[in-house]
Structure formats: structure tokens, C-alpha cells
Amino acid sequence: MCSSDLLHGPTALVSRAIIVAASVKEARISTELSGALIGLGGAVIGAVVALGTTIWSSRQNQVSQSADEFRDVVQKLVDLRIEWFSIQRTYADDPALDPEARRAAAWARDTVYGALNNKRQLHKATAARIMSKAADQLTPDDYVTLGFEYQADAELRNALDCYQRALARTDPARPMQHVNVLRSLGGLLLLPGTPLHNRSEAEGYLRDAISLTNGQTDDSSRYATGWSYEMLGLGLKSNRYPEWRAALQTAIENYEAMSPANALRQQAIDRVRFYQADGTPGFVPPSTKPPPLGPNEVAAGATRASSMDGG
């Protein structure tokens, strides 16, 4: 070994040690910095996920609240219709009264009818506004109920829209719910003298409803099948289609197959026999001019038919 190696050797070793130590320190700092950045990234992602979850949860709560508000409004519509029937009895025309008293009663009746009608219009507008917000939470029953209120006021296209929305949301696991929606559509499209009248489509819906319960032997299914045939028969009768007799007879046969202990059995049989004996068309329009609110000659039959649905 030469003298220069002896002089520079230790220096070189020291320098190399310093460089190695610096590299290790930089590596440690880099590792710590990477860990910190990863931790920060995880925190940011967690915050974003938490924010998204909060927004989703808030939206779901708003939708749920809108659905509850929708049902409250529709319930008010139902209550107003019931009130209308009560007012109708209260202010019924009494021929025994003198002409002046009859005119006063008629004025009071028309005033109340007008006020109730205005309230119904406001509630229907509110329901229509909320419906789109609450769509994810509304059930077929919600749509059918609002649709029937439209139908009772002869707003048939709005009723059809509600029934179609209900059909799109029916649950295959709930056949009776499906039956209810199909009956509503069939009954609407079978109403006589309306722009929506379509016998073929109406019968299709009603026979689809029949197919969901026909042949089952429990009283609930037999009653449901009989009720679907009854709606079909009354709809055909209202249009003077001769097939109404066969449909009503099949309804009776289904009712007769129920248990004699079931109170609904004889009621249903007597009801249909009354329709069979009546020589006038079903859904007879009232003899007097209909009031501004409530079932009129277009919707009168469907009002009676839907009021007992699900019994």
C-alpha cells in the first residue's frame, strides 16, 4: 500500500459513511412522508364517503317525509269525499218544504259543494307536486288511491296515469295488490261514453286479474275472483254488451263456492242477483244534475265498484 492510500483511505471511509447515513435518513423521511400522505389520502376518502352517505341519508329522509306528506294529502281528499256525501244527505231536496225554503237549501248546498270542490282541487294539485319527489317511496296502493280520487272527479286521464304508475310498481309477491291495480285499470277503461273507453284492453286487465286468483279454493281467492267477474259484468252491462249476464253468473258461482259461514258470501250473492234482476243498464246516471263535486254519470259506477275492493 502506498502512502497516498494510507492518507486518503480513512477519509474516504468516513465520507462514504456520511453518505450512507444521509441516504438512510432520507429514506426514513421519505417513508414517513409517504405514510403521512397515505394517511391523509385515506382521511380524505373517508370524509368523501361519509359526506356521500350523509347526503344519501338526508335525501332518503326527505323522500320518506314527502311520501308521508303525500299520504296525508290523499287522506284529506278521501275525507272530503266522505264529507260531500254527508252534505248531500243534509241538504237533500225536500218536496215538503215551501219554494222559498227549497231555494235557500239549494243555495246552501251549492255553496258548500263549491267550497269542498275548491279544497279538493288544491289538495289534488299538492298531491301531484309531491308525487314526483316521493316516487321511490310510494306503493301501488298510494297511486291507486289517488287515481280513484281523480276518477271520482271525472279526471280520467290523471286517474289512468296513477293506475299505470301503480302497475309498474306492483310486487309479484303480493298478488292481491296486483289484482287491485288490474281491476282499477279495467274498470276505468270500461266506463261507457268516455274518450278512454277501450273494451278489449279493459277486458284484458280484468281477465288478468281473474287469472291471478281463479281456481284457488280459499274464501279470499274465491271472493276476489267473484269480485273481478262482478266488475267485468257490471262494466259490460253499463255498455249494453250482452256478455254481462255470463260474467255476473260466474261471479255468483264463485261466491257460492265460499264457506256458508262467511258473512260476505250471502251479501255478495244477493248483490249480484239484484243486478241480474234489474233490467236497466249498470252504472245508471243520476236522474238529477250531478253536483260540481263527487261522482258524476261518467264515474258513478267505478265509484261503487272500487269502494268495496279488497273486501
Side-chain angles (χ1 to χ4, degrees):
M1 182 181 295
C2 64
S3 59
S4 61
D5 291 336
L6 292 173
L7 292 174
H8 297 290
T11 303
L13 291 173
V14 171
S15 298
R16 188 174 304 161
I18 293 172
I19 292 172
V20 169
S23 298
V24 170
K25 184 176 182 181
E26 288 178 0
R28 184 181 299 114
I29 293 173
S30 177
T31 301
E32 292 174 353
L33 180 60
S34 297
L37 290 175
I38 291 172
L40 179 61
V44 171
I45 293 173
V48 170
V49 171
L51 178 61
T53 301
T54 301
I55 293 174
W56 180 86
S57 179
S58 176
R59 182 181 180 279
Q60 289 301 107
N61 288 336
Q62 291 176 355
V63 171
S64 180
Q65 291 172 1
S66 295
D68 290 339
E69 185 181 357
F70 174 89
R71 295 181 183 110
D72 287 341
V73 172
V74 173
Q75 180 61 55
K76 290 177 182 178
L77 284 171
V78 175
D79 291 341
L80 284 172
R81 181 159 50 83
I82 294 172
E83 185 178 352
W84 176 85
F85 282 111
S86 177
I87 294 297
Q88 189 178 38
R89 291 192 298 269
T90 301
Y91 293 98
D93 187 32
D94 186 358
L97 297 176
D98 62 76
E100 185 61 29
R102 293 179 70 181
R103 281 194 294 270
W107 178 85
R109 181 178 62 246
D110 292 344
T111 300
V112 174
Y113 284 165
L116 291 178
N117 187 59
N118 289 338
K119 290 178 71 173
R120 278 181 66 87
Q121 296 305 318
L122 290 173
H123 287 322
K124 282 185 291 187
T126 301
R129 176 179 57 81
I130 299 172
M131 186 165 60
S132 59
K133 296 180 181 180
D136 292 342
Q137 293 284 332
L138 296 182
T139 68
D141 294 334
D142 293 326
Y143 286 118
V144 166
T145 304
L146 178 59
F148 176 66
E149 294 306 315
Y150 278 127
Q151 187 171 334
D153 287 350
E155 297 181 32
L156 304 184
R157 294 195 182 278
N158 288 335
L160 178 62
D161 176 66
C162 287
Y163 295 155
Q164 289 174 333
R165 289 172 183 264
L167 185 63
R169 292 188 66 84
T170 52
D171 183 356
R174 299 185 61 189
M176 287 300 184
Q177 182 187 73
H178 198 182
V179 167
N180 183 34
V181 176
L182 292 169
R183 284 190 196 137
S184 299
L185 279 163
L188 174 65
L189 297 178
L190 206 49
L191 289 174
T194 73
L196 299 182
H197 180 80
N198 186 323
R199 178 183 178 181
S200 175
E201 193 171 353
E203 284 198 57
Y205 284 127
L206 289 169
R207 295 195 182 279
D208 284 346
I210 290 168
S211 69
L212 291 174
T213 56
N214 194 29
Q216 300 182 40
T217 58
D218 61 287
D219 275 8
S220 178
S221 297
R222 283 170 170 164
Y223 188 87
T225 304
W227 183 242
S228 297
Y229 272 112
E230 185 176 343
M231 284 193 67
L232 175 60
L234 290 176
L236 294 173
K237 186 178 183 183
S238 69
N239 290 277
R240 295 182 171 84
Y241 297 137
E243 294 86 353
W244 68 266
R245 293 181 177 84
L248 290 185
Q249 182 57 40
T250 306
I252 286 184
E253 292 170 2
N254 278 274
Y255 293 145
E256 288 178 335
M258 295 169 61
S259 169
N262 193 318
L264 291 175
R265 177 182 181 274
Q266 195 58 47
Q267 293 176 11
I269 292 171
D270 292 343
R271 182 178 66 241
V272 178
R273 283 178 177 163
F274 171 79
Y275 297 140
Q276 287 179 317
D278 182 13
T280 59
F283 305 167
V284 180
S287 58
T288 58
K289 182 180 179 181
L293 171 69
N296 58 22
E297 63 182 66
V298 172
T303 299
R304 191 212 70 79
S306 297
S307 65
M308 295 184 60
D309 190 27

